[in-house]
């Protein structure tokens, strides 16, 4: 039995199709989980099983978040970690994270996903790299299914503790054979290769300063044998560059290439300090970058040369990063910061509102190695975000409603459709009771902080 959904009368539908068409008085017709037609309301079918009236709305392809650590929602604004750079910040947080439990992973993932979905995001990756107290990536996957979000679960890992010259304390690192075994189990149990997949697994050792060269290489060969993607942190700040120079006598980009970590199936978070050789290498090989402007500002890591990367042909997506280094994980807010930060670094024409939206949609899809999300056109997965224009934040900005979404105060969605299912209706979740999730999350956050 098929189910149809019609979104009609939109002020504008932003398609992100090949000509970047924006359709006034637009409509989207969805059958089951796939977009069947996009066009003027008058030209589309008038009947459907469910009809959403999008009068006074901008309709966007669901935004795509390419980097996050959702468990960190439990440790936002921790006093001891408010004002440090990356390595100092991590050192203050590792002992707290050592107390994470399976319930904490699940509830924090639900919380982080709820915040993302309300901010226009419909697909997210999550990089979970710390597994104390019998926590598993399965806990995150369960949360994604419950809330109904399209999800790329990245099996992170740390194996080089302080006693071996790494940054994390020894008690939070894992044995490398255990990491590979568990990663293989997750791929075989959960990874869905098919088009419109709701659930994929990613192989994702945490960073060059927390795993060995052997693990980087073995992870790459495992990912390729199963045709799944690879993800890690790279070239985040100057200390990260210094570590790479001292430990490997290479730049981070050279190290990535040496370990087999370049290609269309690889994306690296941050790359704030990626040099010209690295940009050229990433462009030639189709290696992706997850740009995380708020986190980069929060930790004073610098301004990633995104304009330069895009001009060179590097695939760039957007990431809110973990909630402990971007305490407000708002996807549309991140689009705004991406635009503003490029201007701070490289001038007022370094990025337009529409270019920033393109990074968060088409860019994210490319970085996650998908051709079925990031645009509203026939044959794509039915992932749609809708924003009301008649709210205070947009008053006076309706000359250009699409740019208004990015220039004005970041708004929450009134509707979110993910894989054809209405997950948010009139600003309310249809899949979870948000109030009780927040209440439990807050109790667990205090429990975690007090235990350390
Ligand atoms: Zn990160």
């Amino acid at each position: 039995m098929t189910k149809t959904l019609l979104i009609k009368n939109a002020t504008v539908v932003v398609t992100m199709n090949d000509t970047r068409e924006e359709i006034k008085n637009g409509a989207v017709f969805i059958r089951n989980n796939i977009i069947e037609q996009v066009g003027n309301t008058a030209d589309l079918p008038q009947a459907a099983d469910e009809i959403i009236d999008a009068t006074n709305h901008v309709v966007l392809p669901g935004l795509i978040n390419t980097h996050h650590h959702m468990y960190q929602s439990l440790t936002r604004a921790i006093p001891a970690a408010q004002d440090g750079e990356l390595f100092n910040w991590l050192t203050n947080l590792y002992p707290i994270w050592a107390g994470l439990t399976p319930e904490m992973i699940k509830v924090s993932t639900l919380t982080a996903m709820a915040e993302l979905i309300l901010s226009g995001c419909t697909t997210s990756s999550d990089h979970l790299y710390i597994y104390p107290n019998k926590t598993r990536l399965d806990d995150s996957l369960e949360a994604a299914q419950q809330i109904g979000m399209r999800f790329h679960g990245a099996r992170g890992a740390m194996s080089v503790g302080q006693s071996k010259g790494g940054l994390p304390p020894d008690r939070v690192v894992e044995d490398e054979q255990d990491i590979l075994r568990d990663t293989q189990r997750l791929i075989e149990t959960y990874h869905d290769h098919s088009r419109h997949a709701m659930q994929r697994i990613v192989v994702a050792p945490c960073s060059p300063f927390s795993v060995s060269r052997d693990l980087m290489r073995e992870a790459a060969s495992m990912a390729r044998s199963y045709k799944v993607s690879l993800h890690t942190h790279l070239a985040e700040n100057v200390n990260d560059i210094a570590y790479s120079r001292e430990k490997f006598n290479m730049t981070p980009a050279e190290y990535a290439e040496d370990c087999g970590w370049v290609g269309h199936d690889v994306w690296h978070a941050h790359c704030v300090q990626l040099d010209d050789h690295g940009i050229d290498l990433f462009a030639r090989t189709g290696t992706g970058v997850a740009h995380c402007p708020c986190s980069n500002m929060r930790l004073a890591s610098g301004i990633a040369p995104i304009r330069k990367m895009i001009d060179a042909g590097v695939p760039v997506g957007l990431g809110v990063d973990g909630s402990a280094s971007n305490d407000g994980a708002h996807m549309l807010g991140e689009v705004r910061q991406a635009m503003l930060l490029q201007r701070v670094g490289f001038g007022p024409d370094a990025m337009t509102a529409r270019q920033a939206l393109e990074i968060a949609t088409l860019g994210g899809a490319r970085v996650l190695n998908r051709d079925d999300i990031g645009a509203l056109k026939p044959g794509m997965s039915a992932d749609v975000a809708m924003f009301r224009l008649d709210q205070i934040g947009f008053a006076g900005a309706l000359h250009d409603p699409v740019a208004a979404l990015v220039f004005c105060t970041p708004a929450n969605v009134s509707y979110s459709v993910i894989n054809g299912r209405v997950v948010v209706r009139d600003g309310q979740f249809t899949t979870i009771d948000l109030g009780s999730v927040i209440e439990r999350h807050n109790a667990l956050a205090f429990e975690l902080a007090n235990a350390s």
Side-chain angles (χ1 to χ4, degrees):
M1 205 185 77
T2 67
K3 184 177 180 287
T4 53
L5 170 66
L6 174 67
I7 300 167
K8 65 173 190 177
N9 301 327
T11 303
V12 55
V13 172
V14 179
T15 65
M16 290 292 165
N17 68 11
D18 299 345
T19 57
R20 308 293 186 267
E21 198 179 354
E22 293 175 3
I23 304 169
K24 293 202 171 101
N25 193 14
V28 180
F29 186 79
I30 294 162
R31 187 179 301 277
N32 292 333
N33 60 332
I34 297 167
I35 295 171
E36 201 166 84
Q37 295 182 58
V38 181
N40 283 110
T41 297
D43 300 334
L44 260 63
Q46 299 301 305
D49 296 321
E50 182 171 359
I51 295 176
I52 298 174
D53 183 4
T55 301
N56 271 331
H57 280 79
V58 176
V59 174
L60 289 184
L63 305 177
I64 297 166
N65 178 39
T66 61
H67 189 64
H68 208 329
H69 313 287
M70 297 189 182
Y71 74 88
Q72 292 180 7
S73 300
L74 292 159
T75 54
R76 289 164 139 171
I78 290 278
Q82 285 177 10
D83 304 318
E85 61 74 55
L86 177 66
F87 284 13
N88 166 282
W89 170 88
L90 278 171
T91 311
N92 279 308
L93 285 166
Y94 284 138
I96 301 178
W97 296 339
L100 284 165
T101 65
E103 188 198 5
M104 288 175 185
I105 299 291
K106 177 153 182 211
V107 174
S108 59
T109 304
L110 273 178
T111 303
M113 287 181 168
E115 186 175 24
L116 283 174
I117 290 170
L118 288 174
S119 70
C121 182
T122 53
T123 297
S124 185
S125 181
D126 185 43
H127 191 188
L128 181 59
Y129 55 80
I130 188 164
Y131 292 92
N133 313 312
K134 298 195 161 54
T135 49
R136 304 189 307 165
L137 188 64
D138 309 58
D139 306 322
S140 312
L141 291 153
E142 218 178 281
Q145 280 187 358
Q146 191 180 333
I147 200 166
M149 184 169 221
R150 200 179 298 281
F151 185 50
H152 287 221
R155 205 304 182 182
M158 301 193 290
S159 62
V160 178
Q162 276 161 3
S163 65
K164 291 185 193 154
L167 194 68
D170 287 357
R171 66 190 169 117
V172 297
V173 304
E174 295 175 272
D175 173 77
E176 299 201 338
Q177 286 316 308
D178 292 346
I179 292 167
L180 290 166
R181 242 193 320 273
D182 189 51
T183 307
Q184 183 175 7
R185 173 188 70 83
L186 287 160
I187 297 170
E188 291 179 352
T189 312
Y190 296 110
H191 185 75
D192 181 358
H193 283 282
S194 65
R195 216 172 133 77
H196 313 298
M198 287 293 284
Q199 187 167 274
R200 288 196 177 153
I201 299 295
V202 178
V203 181
C206 184
S207 65
F209 55 82
S210 57
V211 303
S212 74
R213 187 186 297 237
D214 281 351
L215 186 67
M216 290 294 283
R217 288 193 174 137
E218 286 180 46
S221 84
M222 176 183 288
R224 296 214 159 98
S225 73
Y226 284 98
K227 295 190 164 55
V228 304
S229 287
L230 287 158
H231 180 50
T232 193
H233 293 92
L234 202 78
E236 182 163 348
N237 72 2
V238 288
N239 292 339
D240 199 356
I241 304 291
Y243 183 92
S244 183
R245 276 267 169 238
E246 189 182 323
K247 189 97 172 173
F248 313 119
N249 194 28
M250 291 180 187
T251 67
E254 287 166 348
Y255 182 67
E257 186 175 29
D258 183 67
C259 296
W261 276 70
V262 291
H264 291 281
D265 54 353
V266 183
W267 86 101
H268 296 282
H270 302 300
C271 299
V272 173
Q273 306 290 340
L274 195 68
D275 57 9
D276 286 351
H277 162 264
I279 291 173
D280 179 58
L281 172 71
F282 279 28
R284 270 189 289 116
T285 54
T287 308
V289 168
H291 176 43
C292 307
C294 286
S295 172
N296 298 160
M297 287 188 273
R298 172 27 158 121
L299 299 173
S301 300
I303 304 175
I306 298 304
R307 176 78 265 153
K308 202 170 178 181
M309 291 182 194
I310 291 172
D311 290 346
V314 176
V316 177
L318 205 58
V320 297
D321 202 2
S323 301
S325 68
N326 170 11
D327 312 63
H330 195 288
M331 229 9 236
L332 196 58
E334 205 69 26
V335 173
R336 182 170 191 257
Q337 294 295 1
M339 176 185 78
L340 297 178
L341 185 58
Q342 282 308 289
R343 293 175 178 209
V344 173
F346 311 107
D349 59 353
M351 190 175 288
T352 67
R354 285 171 171 80
Q355 286 165 345
L357 279 173
E358 187 168 326
I359 293 173
T361 50
L362 293 173
R366 197 172 160 208
V367 161
L368 295 185
N369 219 5
R370 295 188 74 129
D371 63 1
D372 55 351
I373 54 174
L376 301 178
K377 57 182 188 182
M380 301 295 274
S381 303
D383 291 359
V384 186
M386 295 173 46
F387 293 89
R388 281 198 81 92
L389 289 167
D390 54 357
Q391 30 184 336
I392 184 67
F394 299 128
L398 303 183
H399 321 284
D400 185 348
V402 178
L405 278 189
V406 183
F407 275 98
C408 301
T409 302
N412 278 355
V413 298
S414 54
Y415 285 83
S416 174
V417 176
I418 306 179
N419 209 39
R421 177 186 192 190
V422 181
V423 170
V424 176
R425 180 181 285 121
D426 274 327
Q428 303 296 319
F429 277 95
T430 62
T431 49
I432 57 160
D433 173 6
L434 186 59
S436 59
V437 170
I438 294 172
E439 195 180 321
R440 187 66 192 139
H441 183 81
N442 285 337
L444 292 170
F446 281 121
E447 202 177 293
L448 182 64
N450 293 337
S452 76

